[in-house]
Amino acid sequence: MTVARTRIAVYPGTFDPITNGHVDLIDRAAPLFERLIIGIAESPGKGPTLPLELRVQLARQAVAHHPHVEVRGFNSLLAHFVQEVGGGVLLRGLRAVSDFEYEFQLASMNRHLIPEVETLFLTPAEQYGFISSSLVREISRLGGDVSGFVPLAVAVALQEQWQLKAAG
């Protein structure tokens, strides 16, 4: 692995939606790298609530305070995306021990697909360890207040999305 590649990290996910836990990880990882690229996967198989363009826009708003953090959507194999952007590190978040088994499998698979790229695991601050995008979506869908779990623009976008689905 060349030194230049290790200075570019990729934090991939569906970010449906981006949460305060994601932003916390980004805030703590950003100073470690010259560039941090948030790669937002289209993931049509997961049936995301928010369209890719909106997830990218909301993530850009949430990390706008970091000049060297870039947000990009992608619809390819993660390994191809990482190679395309010149990433040398894959950043992954671990909230609990239960996340580890799945994340370990992903890291092992990625090691075979892109052996020049290392996976780095970070844990969120304690106050964010219980937040997941799926819980946020469910609370919001049922009319609950998610403003303590996501940036304000995300809470608003979720409510608008549910209203659109109810009207349509």
Side-chain angles (χ1 to χ4, degrees), residues 15-129:
F15 299 96
D16 184 38
I18 191 165
T19 68
N20 291 341
H22 294 130
V23 175
D24 173 62
L25 236 72
I26 293 161
D27 287 346
R28 289 185 299 110
L32 303 175
F33 303 98
E34 283 186 7
R35 279 178 60 212
L36 176 57
I37 299 168
I38 313 306
I40 302 187
E42 186 173 32
S43 298
K46 286 187 171 183
T49 298
L50 301 174
L52 178 61
E53 301 77 28
L54 182 55
R55 287 183 278 142
V56 168
Q57 175 191 339
L58 292 169
R60 283 182 178 147
Q61 289 174 8
V63 300
H65 57 287
H66 291 292
H68 65 286
V69 173
E70 177 185 344
V71 180
R72 293 180 56 174
F74 71 99
N75 62 358
S76 62
L77 185 65
L78 175 61
H80 295 161
F81 178 73
V82 172
Q83 289 173 323
E84 175 188 316
V85 300
V89 174
L90 263 175
L91 178 64
R92 300 295 296 173
L94 290 175
R95 290 175 308 217
V97 174
S98 57
D99 289 344
F100 182 76
E101 187 173 349
Y102 175 71
E103 291 295 340
F104 184 77
Q105 287 176 333
L106 285 180
S108 297
M109 184 60 72
N110 284 323
R111 191 172 299 115
H112 285 282
L113 295 172
I114 41 176
E116 68 277 12
V117 175
E118 291 295 333
T119 298
L120 176 67
F121 296 108
L122 288 180
T123 57
E126 273 183 43
Q127 68 265 33
Y128 303 119

